[in-house]
Amino acid sequence: MTVVILLGPPGAGKGTQASRIAERLGIPAISTGDIFRANMAEGTEIGKQAQAYMDRGEFVPDSVTNAMVKARLAAPDAAGGFLLDGYPRSVEQAHVLRDMLLDLGKPIDVVLEIQVDEDEVVARMLKRAQEQHRTDDTEPVMRHRLEVYHQQTLPVATYYVDQDLLEVVDGSGSIDEVTARIFAILDSVAKN
Ligand code: ADP
């Protein structure tokens, strides 16, 4: 399995699961949020463009995001496949990704949607705020990110259901429990 997409609300634990899945499949985990944060830390042009949007919990404009993803997917370490975490986040981005993958000749193998209830997600983000001091982890910004997730990203799940690519993962319980559920899904998808 070489092209895997991870969907789920902010605070669902995507980052943690992404690195475990990537390790198991031997592919890089590509997180748009992480790439933006690294660019902000380094003070690059992309970082400067992204900062204000991220701090408000808004999407960074597609012109910036899509170009950044396209460049990242062309890097040598992505030649054998990749896991995408945080992209696509809208149906428009899903369409752009479809074209990028057509160009690369790589179909999507599976889309995993981690589902966690809203109270749990807010509790996890508040905990993360204390540990990591992310500037977008304040409660009003978190709530806004969740709203944007419902409006923009849930339709992406439907888009992939229609293509018979979506697998829903119960994101409740411990990190290891969620990983075990994901690995079971990956095994069953690989067999089919
Ligand atoms: P979370 O999963 O907690 O929302 P991320 O690290 O995935 O955190 O994303 C943090 C922020 O980075 C988003 O709120 C948004 O501003 C920006 N971002 C990440 N991915 C995208 C994307 N695909 N399109 C637009 N903005 C994005």
Side-chain angles (χ1 to χ4, degrees):
M1 220 171 311
T2 56
V3 177
V4 178
I5 294 175
L6 196 54
L7 297 176
K14 289 192 302 294
T16 311
Q17 300 300 337
S19 40
R20 292 178 171 205
I21 299 165
E23 192 190 1
R24 179 175 171 113
L25 299 177
I27 52 179
I30 298 177
S31 155
T32 43
D34 283 350
I35 300 176
F36 284 132
R37 279 185 289 278
N39 275 280
M40 277 160 43
E42 288 162 24
T44 68
E45 194 50 43
I46 286 181
K48 283 178 200 148
Q49 288 172 334
Q51 175 106 48
Y53 296 98
M54 289 182 75
D55 286 350
R56 289 197 302 264
E58 304 279 349
F59 286 171
V60 177
D62 277 359
S63 55
V64 177
T65 306
N66 291 331
M68 183 181 84
V69 171
K70 191 170 182 177
R72 181 64 188 87
L73 298 190
D77 71 321
F82 39 81
L83 176 141
L84 287 172
D85 161 15
Y87 186 91
R89 250 180 160 86
S90 65
V91 172
E92 290 77 12
Q93 290 183 0
H95 290 150
V96 172
L97 177 64
R98 178 191 55 199
D99 292 343
M100 287 186 220
L101 294 177
L102 273 175
D103 285 347
L104 293 169
K106 282 196 179 62
I108 296 170
D109 291 288
V110 65
V111 179
L112 300 163
E113 184 199 3
I114 303 182
Q115 290 186 346
V116 189
D117 77 49
E118 190 127 344
D119 290 342
E120 174 73 26
V121 152
V122 172
R124 288 189 197 176
M125 280 193 280
L126 286 170
K127 184 158 171 273
R128 181 171 71 188
Q130 290 174 347
E131 294 163 359
Q132 297 181 5
H133 309 291
R134 260 174 60 167
T135 50
D136 59 349
D137 270 347
T138 62
E139 187 151 359
V141 175
M142 276 178 221
R143 298 248 174 234
H144 186 59
R145 274 156 59 208
L146 272 173
E147 236 174 72
V148 174
Y149 181 78
H150 285 286
Q151 283 169 10
Q152 301 282 323
T153 311
L154 281 182
V156 176
T158 310
Y159 172 82
Y160 288 126
V161 169
D162 293 344
Q163 296 171 44
D164 213 13
L165 286 171
L166 194 87
E167 296 285 340
V168 171
V169 182
D170 171 4
S172 64
S174 71
I175 292 174
D176 286 345
E177 282 168 330
V178 178
T179 305
R181 286 180 201 127
I182 291 175
F183 285 3
I185 291 171
L186 292 177
D187 287 345
S188 76
V189 171
K191 278 192 207 113
N192 292 325

